[in-house]
Amino acid sequence: MTDRFAPPPSRGCSDTPVLKQRGQHEVFCGLTGIIWLHRKMQDAFFLVVGSRTCAHLLQSAAGVMIFAEPRFATAILEETDLAGLADAQDELDRVVGQLLERRSDIRQLFLVGSCPSEVIKLDLSRAAARMTEKFAPRVRVLNYSGSGIETTFTQGEDACLASMVPVLPQSAARELLLVGALPDVVEQQAVGLLEAMGVGPIRVLPAASVNDSYGIGENTVFALTQPFLTDTHAALERRGARHIAAPFPFGEEGTTAWLRAVASEFGVSQELFDTVTEAPRARARKAVAQASQSLNGKSVFFFPDSQLEIPLARFLTRECGMTAIEVGVPFLHRAVMAPDLDLLAQGPVIAEGQDVDKQLDRCRAARPDLSICGLGLANPLEAEGLTTKWSIELVFTPVHFYEQAGDLAGLFSRPLRRRNLLKLEAAE
Amino acid sequence: MKLTVWTYEGPPHVGAMRVATGMTGLHYVLHAPQGDTYADLLFTMIERRNHRPPVTYTTFQARDLGSDTAHLFKTACLDAYERFKPEAMIIGASCTAELIQDDPGGMSETLGLPIPMIPLDLPSYQRKENFGADETFFQICRHLARPVEKTARVSCNLIGPTALGFRHRDDITELTGLLMEMGIEVNVTAPMTASPSDIKRLGAAHFNVLMYPETGESACRWMERELGLPFTKIVPIGIGATRDFIAEVSKLAGIAPVLDESRLRMPWYSASVDSTYLTGKRVFLFGDGTHVAACARIARDEMGFDVIGMGCYNREQARMLRAVAKDFGVEALISDDYLEVERTIEALAPELILGTQMERHIGKRLGIPCAVISAPVHVQDFPARYSPQMGIEGANVIFDTWVHPLVMGLEEHLLHMFRDDFEFHDAAGASHHGGKAVARPPEVSAEAEVAEGRIFEEEKRGAFEIVWLPAAEKELKKIPFFVRGKARRNTEHYATERGVAEISVDTLYEAKAHYAR
């Protein structure tokens, strides 16, 4: 792969038995995906059909963003909606009518299912079909579930993208589809690199607008930029599209391997590949080396959150010199994750699912130098003297591909540097 | 169904979490789907707590639905007991679990754990966070508190403070100090800081101080009935209310009133000449009923503001607030729809908003200064420094907090005097609020200004049938930007009332004279 990195370990983690646990999960539900998805799809509105809890969750997760006239809201179920199911559909029509009247700029509307709407079996797919008919051609109405009983955190994006795949038109064109909502700057870098190699035409899912539509079919090949897109992966394969397996583009090694997989598919010569990637690779190497100084030799423990844990553990162990103690994932999809598991040397516990109290006990016993966890655990662990990095930031911040590789290492090294800097005790 | 973007209150089980997290030795087992643990971060992040809230979630998933969820619940209860060994547990369901009808309360009884198991019935589809807190604390008291021997010295309980309460931490300290100066001990502060065994000795106090009616009133009423504890009705926010509160406590305790005012600076600050400019500032108040009612009194009687509107989002306090509003000659706005609050603020065009986190954003959007007086609040309103709202220091804190966003008198005077200087032109902005100063636009020629006036005139004709003559428009621009909007509105109102279609310089000044105060 590259002369700088250790060769792939003779035995990666692919065969490692996975520790599966059931118990209390300290994770977000899929509704949170809306927070970053709505910014990516600029003509879409996300209407959660749920309870006050759902609305409260969105506002807690969205923080101050909620006042930038966001394109998401909750239709809060009330007592009367629970009494009889017949008028729930009428109520939904009324709320959607009210919404579309107020926001005439909306072209796609997602009816997002929640735990309460799933439990009372409110048929949102039928509602979406009915409304698509009613509001066509101005507005397309789709539905997916972001409920906690079915989805964990980033799986909400997966469910959303998977709901869009069946409505893409049929096409026989040979095109590359990049799948996963990336920050604009990152998406442009990825497309730029591939176009410089002559790969194309390139499409992205989700597209910024419903107008940027494209077809899909047996000649479509797709590459995932995010590891949690397993249902979307399946939905695309059902449409005949073919997946390009690759490690995920984190760090210099990950990005290079990802680009190489795509380049091979499109028959790019090694020479051209090297010419295009040489400079950004050198930059990324340098940036990671600088940012990861304080990470070298340190141990890391991942609590499950976003499914980014395995590729990030691969980046931290292979490019930043860390040792992984435990890599917790909410959900492990073998086929999608295999290239990263192959590169992750044996050693860490791979844990799927969670019993949070038992996992906390393991973490306390291991006393890792850095724990990657959610905001509900971060301050309590800090108070116990453990250094933490809160994981949600990894989903919001640009971290993929070459130019962000240094920033990515920086996100992990900053908490350790801070712990060294703070001297709050008396000098004596 | 109700279309909602922003909610002032969370669901009722978050209120129960606020009680559980404020207490010690109590554990909450919450039958809830995966994902409801999001509420933990309100406590660990906004309130910066250094421990996880004492809540075990069953986190059921789709594959568990059916009989398995009941089993999950029982296991979660037993595990939580084994691990945390609490003195008592509260048991409840979140909105989703309410729909699957597992009856957590009934199941918990069959487990035979050797501690009190207190079932909570929190109707998620009708009630909200404050109700959840109030009801939870009431149930805890009802299950645990029993008549006990009174303390030898006069003592009281502080009732109502919870986790995630707006300035509850420092209000406790302030009130404890005030009562101590009178020679009254605090028997138990609850729910915040109390354990289930503390709850058992609530009855040892001679009376209750109800700090926050939103979260403690049901418990106080129950204790009045069952334990014979009278409770205070005055919430000591503001100096007048604090003095009344001390008088009320004196009566309940049979002790002479004592209030050490040596630390009190607020009345003098408010009386000093620089505060003259605060006179008649038009304020709008919104928040929870208790804080709004208390702050309205401060605004009018202690700051000399003109209260032009008030409202609250918690309907539990609607009746009380309507009565207060009537006394102020305004209509109370009872709504949990922030768009309605925004419309009201826009229509009233106050010079200062006293509200919650949401009103802060509304104020920012409309360019109106705002100070925060009530929950819901964000992390910056859980400050490291001592900043109560109640008592002597509370009055000092409130004066500073409210005056800060306003342009102070001297500054306002200087801005007015030098309004034609390039540093003080309209777009220059405040000096230290992060807004980047904008260079003054080049002088507009007289002709251009007349033309601009005409365009304006034509626009206006369609909308209001009132036109500003160019000279009047020019005169209006000489008025400082922060009162110009008011001057324009007053003048137009004056003109409409008198059927004047064209506003001249004279109309402008006639209106000014009419509205002078």
Side-chain angles (χ1 to χ4, degrees):
Chain A
M1 197 131 297
T2 113
D3 44 0
R4 184 177 162 270
F5 297 111
S10 55
R11 294 192 63 195
C13 285
S14 286
D15 305 329
T16 306
V18 172
L19 175 67
K20 290 197 184 192
Q21 285 199 318
R22 296 288 316 278
Q24 180 177 328
H25 289 206
E26 182 87 18
V27 289
F28 279 131
C29 66
L31 293 182
T32 21
I34 293 170
I35 310 290
W36 66 87
L37 278 173
H38 87 282
R39 301 196 55 204
K40 191 70 198 168
M41 291 186 256
Q42 292 174 359
D43 56 0
F45 194 99
F46 293 80
L47 180 67
V48 177
V49 182
S51 63
R52 179 168 301 282
T53 311
C54 308
H56 196 236
L57 159 86
L58 280 181
Q59 114 181 13
S60 307
V64 293
M65 207 198 285
I66 200 139
F67 275 96
E69 193 61 29
R71 280 171 287 103
F72 57 82
T74 311
I76 294 186
L77 293 166
E78 289 170 321
E79 185 99 290
T80 47
D81 301 307
L82 304 173
L85 281 178
D87 58 312
Q89 297 280 355
D90 295 345
E91 276 291 284
L92 197 54
D93 283 342
R94 183 183 61 77
V95 166
V96 168
Q98 191 186 340
L99 176 71
L100 291 178
E101 198 173 310
R102 225 175 74 192
R103 298 296 302 266
S104 55
D105 51 329
I106 299 307
R107 304 285 318 279
Q108 312 181 62
L109 175 68
F110 288 95
L111 301 177
V112 188
S114 65
C115 302
S117 76
E118 298 290 328
V119 167
I120 63 169
K121 305 215 183 312
L122 186 57
D123 192 346
L124 291 183
S125 64
R126 214 183 74 204
R130 185 178 66 238
M131 287 176 195
T132 298
E133 224 164 88
K134 186 172 165 194
F135 296 109
R138 185 166 73 92
V139 187
R140 177 174 83 181
V141 186
L142 294 173
N143 114 283
Y144 72 90
S145 170
S147 71
I149 56 178
E150 286 162 318
T151 56
T152 303
F153 195 30
T154 48
Q155 280 182 303
E157 174 175 335
D158 188 27
C160 174
L161 299 193
S163 79
M164 297 166 78
V165 172
V167 297
L168 292 174
Q170 190 68 30
S171 155
R174 172 155 169 86
E175 290 180 336
L176 172 67
L177 183 63
L178 300 186
V179 187
L182 291 177
D184 290 344
V185 54
V186 178
E187 189 176 293
Q188 281 153 19
Q189 286 168 19
V191 170
L193 285 165
L194 290 170
E195 281 179 344
M197 295 179 207
V199 174
I202 301 171
R203 309 294 195 171
V204 289
L205 179 71
S209 155
V210 75
N211 294 329
D212 309 334
S213 62
Y214 46 79
I216 195 164
E218 305 216 326
N219 291 323
T220 308
V221 285
F222 68 95
L224 302 180
T225 56
Q226 301 278 25
F228 44 75
L229 299 170
T230 53
D231 285 353
T232 312
H233 173 269
L236 285 166
E237 287 194 331
R238 273 199 294 279
R239 295 285 310 264
R242 192 160 43 79
H243 177 221
I244 305 170
F248 288 93
F250 296 110
E252 192 247 295
E253 186 189 26
T255 306
T256 305
W258 188 89
L259 286 172
R260 193 186 298 272
V262 177
S264 313
E265 170 67 33
F266 282 81
V268 177
S269 72
Q270 185 64 39
E271 209 181 350
L272 179 57
F273 183 84
D274 289 343
T275 316
V276 171
T277 57
E278 196 173 5
R281 284 178 75 178
R283 275 201 300 273
R285 261 201 297 273
K286 192 170 157 217
V288 172
Q290 272 169 5
S292 66
Q293 272 165 8
S294 49
L295 296 177
N296 207 346
K298 298 287 190 342
S299 60
V300 60
F301 190 107
F302 281 89
F303 285 84
D305 195 48
S306 61
Q307 299 183 53
L308 295 172
E309 295 83 4
I310 288 173
L312 288 175
R314 184 260 300 155
F315 165 72
L316 289 175
T317 51
R318 290 178 61 84
E319 297 188 44
C320 303
M322 296 189 90
T323 316
I325 296 172
E326 175 164 332
V327 185
V329 288
F331 184 65
L332 180 62
H333 191 281
R334 291 265 166 200
V336 168
M337 212 56 91
D340 277 293
L341 281 172
D342 286 342
L343 285 171
L344 185 62
Q346 272 197 336
V349 174
I350 308 284
E352 184 182 6
Q354 187 176 35
D355 183 332
V356 71
D357 286 308
K358 288 184 182 152
Q359 193 166 33
L360 280 166
D361 289 344
R362 294 200 297 278
C363 180
R364 289 180 185 118
R367 291 209 68 80
D369 295 308
L370 187 65
S371 303
I372 322 292
C373 61
L375 289 172
L377 300 178
N379 271 337
L381 285 176
E382 290 280 349
E384 292 180 25
L386 292 165
T387 306
T388 62
K389 165 73 214 130
W390 47 282
S391 50
I392 299 150
E393 199 177 359
L394 299 162
V395 179
F396 289 97
T397 316
V399 291
H400 296 68
F401 292 96
Y402 290 128
E403 311 305 342
Q404 285 68 237
D407 303 342
L408 178 58
L411 285 180
F412 295 102
S413 61
R414 193 171 302 122
L416 289 166
R417 270 174 42 223
R418 181 166 184 79
R419 180 157 289 255
N420 285 334
L421 281 172
L422 292 183
K423 290 177 181 63
L424 299 170
E425 297 80 20
E428 282 304 297
Chain B
M1 276 177 214
K2 189 169 184 303
L3 188 60
T4 313
V5 179
W6 183 273
T7 107
Y8 282 94
E9 290 183 73
H13 72 258
V14 169
M17 284 182 72
R18 287 175 53 186
V19 170
T21 308
M23 290 179 66
T24 58
L26 182 83
H27 202 83
Y28 185 15
V29 178
L30 181 60
H31 202 21
Q34 162 175 278
D36 278 3
T37 51
Y38 83 87
D40 281 2
L41 66 90
L42 303 172
F43 299 92
T44 60
M45 297 308 292
I46 294 180
E47 206 179 7
R48 278 188 236 255
R49 286 198 172 249
N50 60 2
H51 60 89
R52 295 173 61 214
V55 183
T56 294
Y57 304 80
T58 54
T59 54
F60 56 82
Q61 288 171 282
R63 58 173 179 236
D64 305 320
L65 290 178
S67 62
D68 211 21
T69 52
H71 177 71
L72 261 180
F73 173 80
K74 286 182 187 169
T75 322
C77 266
L78 294 171
D79 286 354
Y81 175 72
E82 272 311 307
R83 181 172 285 269
F84 301 104
K85 289 278 169 2
E87 293 175 39
M89 276 207 227
I90 52 177
I91 308 292
S94 80
C95 51
T96 306
E98 197 182 325
L99 298 172
I100 60 177
Q101 303 182 326
D102 273 339
D103 184 24
M107 283 191 290
S108 65
E109 274 169 30
T110 64
L111 293 174
L113 290 175
I115 52 166
M117 306 288 271
I118 304 166
L120 300 175
D121 186 17
L122 303 176
S124 314
Y125 296 91
Q126 300 160 33
R127 308 306 293 264
K128 289 179 253 175
E129 180 177 331
N130 279 326
F131 169 83
D134 185 70
E135 171 71 11
T136 302
F137 184 54
F138 161 62
Q139 291 298 344
I140 292 172
C141 291
R142 200 171 69 91
H143 277 81
L144 301 179
R146 294 287 172 269
V148 287
E149 197 183 333
K150 301 273 178 211
T151 54
R153 287 180 58 188
V154 177
S155 67
C156 67
N157 301 314
L158 299 185
I159 301 298
T162 64
L164 218 62
F166 176 63
R167 308 296 166 87
H168 288 193
R169 177 195 71 195
D170 297 339
D171 283 349
I172 293 174
T173 311
E174 185 69 20
L175 275 198
T176 307
L178 288 189
L179 292 161
M180 202 166 66
E181 283 161 13
M182 276 180 81
I184 300 170
E185 272 176 18
V186 171
N187 178 51
V188 173
T189 301
M192 190 112 110
T193 75
S195 66
S197 38
D198 293 328
I199 299 295
K200 286 179 189 160
R201 45 182 199 86
L202 278 171
H206 295 237
F207 65 98
N208 277 331
V209 170
L210 174 56
M211 292 175 70
Y212 309 102
E214 274 83 1
T215 49
E217 190 161 351
S218 299
C220 274
R221 288 194 185 285
W222 180 84
M223 283 189 265
E224 186 173 51
R225 223 166 41 236
E226 303 293 325
L227 307 177
L229 294 180
F231 66 93
T232 56
K233 310 291 190 296
I234 296 166
V235 178
I237 298 176
I239 189 58
T242 301
R243 287 173 178 145
D244 292 348
F245 169 80
I246 293 294
E248 190 185 22
V249 165
S250 149
K251 246 184 238 159
L252 287 177
I255 292 181
V258 178
L259 184 61
D260 174 9
E261 298 195 359
S262 58
R263 297 176 293 131
L264 179 63
R265 285 173 288 272
M266 189 270 185
W268 163 240
Y269 269 53
S270 191
S272 74
V273 290
D274 200 41
S275 298
T276 312
Y277 291 82
L278 302 176
T279 313
K281 284 261 183 219
R282 304 162 72 247
V283 300
F284 177 80
L285 301 104
F286 199 83
D288 65 47
T290 299
H291 282 90
V292 168
C295 289
R297 176 174 174 186
I298 302 173
R300 183 182 65 184
D301 300 343
E302 298 169 25
M303 303 288 275
F305 292 151
D306 182 9
V307 174
I308 58 163
M310 66 175 80
C312 71
Y313 56 79
N314 49 340
R315 67 171 188 223
E316 291 88 350
Q317 300 288 327
R319 183 180 298 191
M320 179 277 293
L321 199 73
R322 283 205 182 95
V324 172
K326 203 169 171 200
D327 177 44
F328 280 73
V330 297
E331 185 85 25
L333 169 69
I334 313 295
S335 173
D336 62 352
D337 181 353
Y338 84 95
L339 293 172
E340 197 178 345
V341 177
E342 188 173 63
R343 279 194 295 275
T344 308
I345 291 176
E346 230 163 338
L348 290 172
E351 291 163 272
L352 175 69
I353 307 168
L354 301 172
T356 73
Q357 184 69 11
M358 282 74 130
E359 283 69 45
R360 223 165 56 90
H361 287 276
I362 294 172
K364 194 171 161 192
R365 200 175 77 75
L366 299 176
I368 302 171
C370 179
V372 171
I373 58 164
S374 155
V377 293
H378 206 44
V379 61
Q380 67 267 38
D381 275 301
F382 283 91
R385 67 178 184 278
Y386 182 57
S387 24
Q389 297 287 291
M390 291 185 176
I392 300 286
E393 190 56 25
N396 295 336
V397 165
I398 285 174
F399 181 86
D400 286 349
T401 311
W402 295 10
V403 164
H404 206 155
L406 295 170
V407 183
M408 276 300 284
L410 189 59
E411 224 176 305
E412 184 168 327
H413 179 65
L414 291 174
L415 276 174
H416 190 73
M417 265 180 72
F418 301 124
R419 65 173 185 259
D420 286 330
D421 289 15
F422 69 96
E423 292 102 329
F424 292 105
H425 68 89
D426 295 359
S431 50
H432 62 288
H433 286 178
K436 193 175 175 297
V438 184
R440 184 175 202 161
E443 277 300 319
V444 187
S445 71
E447 277 168 49
E449 197 143 305
V450 171
E452 190 193 326
R454 283 216 190 92
I455 293 166
F456 188 72
E457 206 175 291
E458 276 160 17
E459 274 175 7
K460 284 274 159 176
R461 209 191 303 274
F464 303 102
E465 298 185 359
I466 291 181
V467 292
W468 283 76
L469 296 174
E473 188 71 24
K474 201 173 170 187
E475 195 69 17
L476 183 70
K477 284 198 176 142
K478 293 182 186 164
I479 297 170
F481 64 94
F482 41 84
V483 287
R484 195 179 302 149
K486 188 167 77 167
R488 182 189 287 279
R489 257 191 320 280
N490 281 352
T491 311
E492 283 171 3
H493 191 64
Y494 178 84
T496 318
E497 275 187 348
R498 280 157 193 76
V500 178
E502 288 187 336
I503 294 173
S504 65
V505 176
D506 283 340
T507 327
L508 178 66
Y509 283 114
E510 275 161 22
K512 185 175 189 301
H514 177 76
Y515 289 106
R517 43 166 191 237

